[in-house]
């Protein structure tokens, strides 16, 4: 299943659509499985690209044309480890391994009246975030800034405020959950709410 609007997903994630285009795309996104899947696939890109320095970009030509040959010994070790884990799981009667629940942070800002929560899922590339916000003024352009415990920061996503409280807003960062100190959600007027563990 494909959709002609999947090309708009990247522009949406990087904040390149104007307010009217953003609103139209968000309305389309709620009913389009293809665009939702593409959004989840591309969600890590803004956070990952935010970690590149100018020097990294200038040295892109230094990347080798051929990838290095795979380490066959390492491949055999991984297969052996996987086999041992399967045997241990069967011996212990464990057929389903349940992942720990995603940590959820919640906050309400007394000054702005904004209520927010974020569920965070650790991924191999960093952290996937799912926001819920209430009492945000309609027509605002919001963003989240992610602050690490090491003093770094990344923009973890942009979105329009015309959504319901039950609607989840995706975001992402290259920081692991345990590296995140706090999150600041803001619009054009300033910080709306700060979320901490």
């Amino acid at each position: 299943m494909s959709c002609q609007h999947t090309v708009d997903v990247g522009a949406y994630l990087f904040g390149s659509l104007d307010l009217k285009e953003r609103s139209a795309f968000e309305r389309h996104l709620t009913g389009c499985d293809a665009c939702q899947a593409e959004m989840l696939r591309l969600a890590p890109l803004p956070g990952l690209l935010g970690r590149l320095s100018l020097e990294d970009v200038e040295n892109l030509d230094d990347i080798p044309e051929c990838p290095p040959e795979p380490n066959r010994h390492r491949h055999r070790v991984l297969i052996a480890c996987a086999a041992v884990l399967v045997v241990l799981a069967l011996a212990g009667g464990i057929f389903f391994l349940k992942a720990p629940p995603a940590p959820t942070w919640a906050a309400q800002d007394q000054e702005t009246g904004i209520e927010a929560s974020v569920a965070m899922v650790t991924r191999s590339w960093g952290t996937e975030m799912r926001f819920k916000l209430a009492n945000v003024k309609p027509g605002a352009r919001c963003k989240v800034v992610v602050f690490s415990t090491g003093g770094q920061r990344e923009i973890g996503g942009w979105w329009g405020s015309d959504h319901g409280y039950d609607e989840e807003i995706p975001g992402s960062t290259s920081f692991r959950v345990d590296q995140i100190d706090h999150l600041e959600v803001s619009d054009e007027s300033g910080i709306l709410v700060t979320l901490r563990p």
Side-chain angles (χ1 to χ4, degrees), residues 77 105 142:
V77 170
W105 299 354
C142 302

Side-chain angles (χ1 to χ4, degrees), residues 36-136:
Q36 289 174 13
E38 186 71 358
M39 176 78 77
L40 287 175
R41 190 177 75 80
L42 296 179
L45 284 180
L48 293 173
L49 290 176
R51 297 195 73 180
L52 288 177
S53 68
L54 181 57
E55 183 180 329
D56 293 330
V57 176
E58 289 172 346
N59 293 328
L60 284 176
D61 291 334
D62 297 340
I63 297 173
E65 289 182 26
C66 297
E69 291 207 18
N71 185 334
R72 296 187 195 289
H73 175 70
R74 183 173 182 235
H75 184 69
R76 287 187 196 125
V77 170
L78 289 175
I79 290 174
C81 288
V84 168
L85 288 175
V86 169
V87 169
L88 289 175
L90 292 174
I94 302 171
F95 294 99
F96 298 100
L97 299 174
K98 187 174 179 180
T104 301
W105 299 354
Q108 179 176 11
D109 189 283
Q110 298 300 321
E111 193 173 313
T112 64
I114 305 297
E115 294 177 39
S117 68
V118 59
M120 294 180 285
V121 179
T122 299
R123 301 289 186 204
S124 60
W125 44 261
T127 302
E128 177 184 338
M129 300 177 289
R130 293 288 182 173
F131 292 90
K132 287 189 178 182
L133 296 167
N135 306 323
V136 182

Side-chain angles (χ1 to χ4, degrees), residues 137-148:
K137 68 177 181 181
R141 190 164 180 238
C142 302
K143 71 175 177 181
V144 62
V145 180
V146 183
F147 293 84
S148 76

